[in-house]
Each structure stands twice: as structure tokens, then as C-alpha cells.
Amino acid sequence: MKSNRIRAKNHPKFSRREFLTHSSLLVLAAATGCKSGEWEGNDAIIDIHQHLGYSGRPDDVLLAHQRAMGVSKTILLPAGRPINSASTHEGISNGLQANCLGNEACYQFAKAHSGDYFFGANEVPDLPDATLEIEKYLKLGGAIIAEQKFGIECDSQQMQKIYHLAAEFRVPVLMHWQVKMYNYGFERFHKMLERFPRTIFIGHAQTWWANIDKNYKDDASNLYPKGPVTPGGLTDRYLGDYANMYGDLSAGSGLNALTRDEDHTRDFLNRHQNKLIYGSDCNDHVGSGSVCQGALTIAAVRRLAPTMKIQRKLLCGNARRVFKLG
Ligand SMILES: [Zn+2]
Ligand SMILES: [Zn+2]
């Protein structure tokens, strides 16, 4: 904590605004339960991908769900404001297509559960005041810009403004990649990774995970490919080639990628052990067993991570580092 402050003060490019935001993130450092050097025997889990009001789930059920999964810290990713436009597919994508609540609700919930819950900042990127709205919640302590799940080109001017804002506030941007639906142009995304080296990008969802396989061709009717994986797909290369590209293990797509070819998964987890971060993104009311995709993902990571140290990085350590949790 202290060293962060010293670094912030001495950093010549660290503006006052960045410093204030960074300081608010330091709240996240309190008792995360996965300090470096304490890997073995520590079962703390950070979930970087949950939603409030997800498919209508009540708040008390969310709290119980996260406890049942064994999660100690949760980041809530808000939706943008509800609007009918091309980028929300005339309203279909409002509430992240799952009735998820927005910035103010996530902020208030995190405030009421301070230390256990954190919040992101989000907006429909092609609204004229999108960056102003996002900035408002980053100033209040938002830990990430997410979930970016809109029908828009990944290299549009509007998205580039968001990438710039993320670098300015030193928070990651999490993007839902789904061909012909959300964040278009995955094959061109390397240009953004190069243009915004100070922005941390976290990849998520079907098109992100399907492209671990070199032999996969983008296909909206084949979003959960099964069977053996040939290394060297676009996702594998983005993770390997770009220091600012990370991956979110959440959702059915993340779980499918982990379980479709377990021999490949062991190598993949080893190869990208500093880049992959646990998230659940599950909307069930239970938090355990086969109905809970988040619990299944935790079990897959525990089963397939080549070492205990790597397991701890994936479930906790990488999140702690990327979100500056101390
Ligand atoms: Zn989500
Ligand atoms: Zn669940």
C-alpha cells in the first residue's frame, strides 16, 4: 500500500486524477486473502465478472451465491443505459441482454458491501456522452470499464476514446467478443493492442474463446466448438504477443474452452498463467454443483492448473495484480 503511494507520487506521468483513482482502488487491497508468497493452502477466490439483477436474480440470492462459490471479492459489471439504437440491436442488448443493472445500482451495492464488492463503469459507447458517464463512475472508484457488449467496431473512434480513458484511469477494459453481434473485427484487434499499449484489455465470451484453436473459423452458428484444440489461434497469439492482453475465464464459453481438450488446457494455462483471470458470469441461484457454471469453472481450474502456484494465480493472484489489490 505504502509503496503504491510512493510510486504514484514519483511517477512523472501520473496525473492528480490518476492518483486519486488509483488511491480509491487501494481500498480493494484490504484483506484480499491472496498475498504473494501465501499461495499454498490459501483458498481465496476473486470473481471479476458478476452482474447485479442478472436475469432478475434478487440481491440476497447473489450474496448467497457468491458465498457458496467460496468467492471473497466480487466485481460487478454494469450494463449501459437502456436505449434503442443500432449498437444495442434496437434494445435487444439492453441490460447486457440479461436484465443486468447499470452504473448507479452497482455503485450503490458495492458501497453497501464495501470490501467484498467492487463495481465497474460502463456505457453504450456510441452515445455522445459515453465517456463522460464512464468517467463519472471511474472517479467514484470504478475498478474497470465493463462489460463492453455492444454492436460496434472494435476500432471505431468511440471505442478508441474508451481505450484512452482506461489508460488514463489505469483500469482495464473488458470486452465481450461475439462474431456478428458484439465488438466487431476481432481479427483487426491487434492494431488496438499496439495503439494503446498502456491500456489493459480483458477478452471474454464466445469468439474470444473459440479462437484459442488455430483451426477455428469465425462462425455465428458455431460459438461453442468442441474437441481437440490446435494451439496458435488468434486468442492464443494475442495473449502471447501482447503484454496488455488478458483473458477472463468466465461464462459457458470459458468453461467450454477449459474442458473441451484437457491436455491442451494444461499447456494453455501454463503458457498464459500470468494473463488468465477467474470470473463466473453465472446467473443461477445456487452457487455450487452442476447448475453453477462458476463453480464448475473453479473446479476445472483446480483440476487442470499444472501447479498449485498457477491455480492461485488464476483464481486470485492475477486479479489482485491487475486490479492493484495491494
Ligand atoms: Zn457478463
Ligand atoms: Zn453460479
Side-chain angles (χ1 to χ4, degrees):
M1 301 275 276
K2 212 171 183 180
S3 63
N4 273 338
R5 283 178 187 276
I6 290 163
R7 195 164 65 229
K9 269 185 187 166
N10 292 343
H11 198 294
K13 286 182 185 163
F14 215 125
S15 71
R16 177 171 164 75
R17 185 163 68 170
E18 282 178 328
F19 176 65
L20 289 174
T21 307
H22 192 71
S23 301
S24 63
L25 283 174
L26 293 180
V27 174
L28 285 161
T32 56
C34 78
K35 298 188 182 95
S36 50
E38 291 180 13
W39 306 106
E40 267 74 25
N42 191 327
D43 59 358
I45 297 171
I46 298 172
D47 180 355
I48 68 153
H49 195 140
Q50 259 298 357
H51 304 289
L52 200 60
Y54 198 173
S55 308
R57 180 170 56 193
D59 291 353
D60 58 335
V61 179
L62 168 68
L63 290 166
H65 175 277
Q66 296 302 94
R67 276 195 300 269
M69 284 202 305
V71 163
S72 52
K73 308 279 169 197
T74 300
I75 303 180
L76 297 170
L77 310 183
R81 89 187 69 165
I83 190 160
N84 289 359
S85 69
S87 56
T88 66
H89 306 288
E90 299 307 324
I92 289 169
S93 315
N94 285 339
L96 303 172
Q97 218 183 339
N99 296 320
C100 301
L101 298 179
N103 289 329
E104 185 62 23
C106 291
Y107 166 58
Q108 293 296 344
F109 188 94
K111 213 160 78 167
H113 299 89
S114 171
D116 296 338
Y117 282 78
F118 306 90
F119 65 99
N122 202 19
E123 189 50 290
V124 183
D126 53 354
L127 287 175
D129 60 343
T131 47
L132 272 177
E133 170 72 7
I134 293 170
E135 189 171 349
K136 175 184 165 185
Y137 284 93
L138 292 178
K139 282 179 177 167
L140 289 168
I144 183 170
I145 300 175
E147 178 180 349
Q148 276 292 306
K149 186 178 180 181
F150 302 98
I152 190 164
E153 301 290 342
C154 72
D155 47 3
S156 61
Q157 284 307 310
Q158 293 97 333
M159 289 305 287
Q160 292 195 43
K161 278 189 194 167
I162 286 176
Y163 306 153
H164 182 78
L165 189 64
E168 194 182 349
F169 276 83
R170 299 193 164 195
V171 295
V173 184
L174 187 145
M175 296 167 74
H176 179 116
W177 293 98
Q178 185 177 340
V179 70
K180 294 189 175 163
M181 190 68 184
Y182 298 124
N183 290 312
Y184 311 132
F186 188 55
E187 68 288 348
R188 302 190 306 274
F189 191 56
H190 61 96
K191 293 179 189 168
M192 296 296 98
L193 292 167
E194 285 158 18
R195 190 172 295 173
F196 295 93
R198 293 177 59 225
T199 303
I200 288 181
F201 296 93
I202 305 179
H204 157 67
Q206 298 96 325
T207 294
W208 168 260
W209 284 112
N211 276 290
I212 56 174
D213 185 357
K214 195 179 181 181
N215 296 327
Y216 179 75
K217 299 265 179 293
D218 276 326
D219 177 359
S221 66
N222 181 27
L223 293 173
Y224 297 88
K226 304 284 182 195
V229 175
T230 304
L234 206 43
T235 296
D236 203 13
R237 281 157 46 204
Y238 285 169
L239 285 168
D241 293 350
Y242 295 97
N244 54 338
M245 183 83 251
Y246 287 72
D248 161 11
L249 293 167
S250 75
S253 53
L255 181 58
N256 180 57
L258 289 173
T259 53
R260 60 183 283 195
D261 177 353
E262 296 195 346
D263 286 337
H264 167 268
T265 299
R266 290 185 187 89
D267 290 340
F268 185 83
L269 295 180
N270 186 48
R271 197 152 65 241
H272 304 303
Q273 60 179 275
N274 296 317
K275 293 294 205 67
L276 301 172
I277 308 177
Y278 174 73
S280 66
D281 195 18
C282 56
N283 62 358
D284 63 281
H285 288 205
V286 181
S288 63
S290 59
V291 295
C292 178
Q293 165 205 278
L296 292 173
T297 304
I298 292 168
V301 168
R302 287 186 170 146
R303 187 171 74 249
L304 299 169
T307 65
M308 178 60 87
K309 187 172 177 180
I310 293 172
Q311 183 200 119
R312 296 312 306 148
K313 286 183 180 182
L314 303 176
L315 294 178
C316 188
N318 292 341
R320 182 180 54 81
R321 191 182 80 248
V322 169
F323 291 90
K324 303 183 182 71
L325 308 187

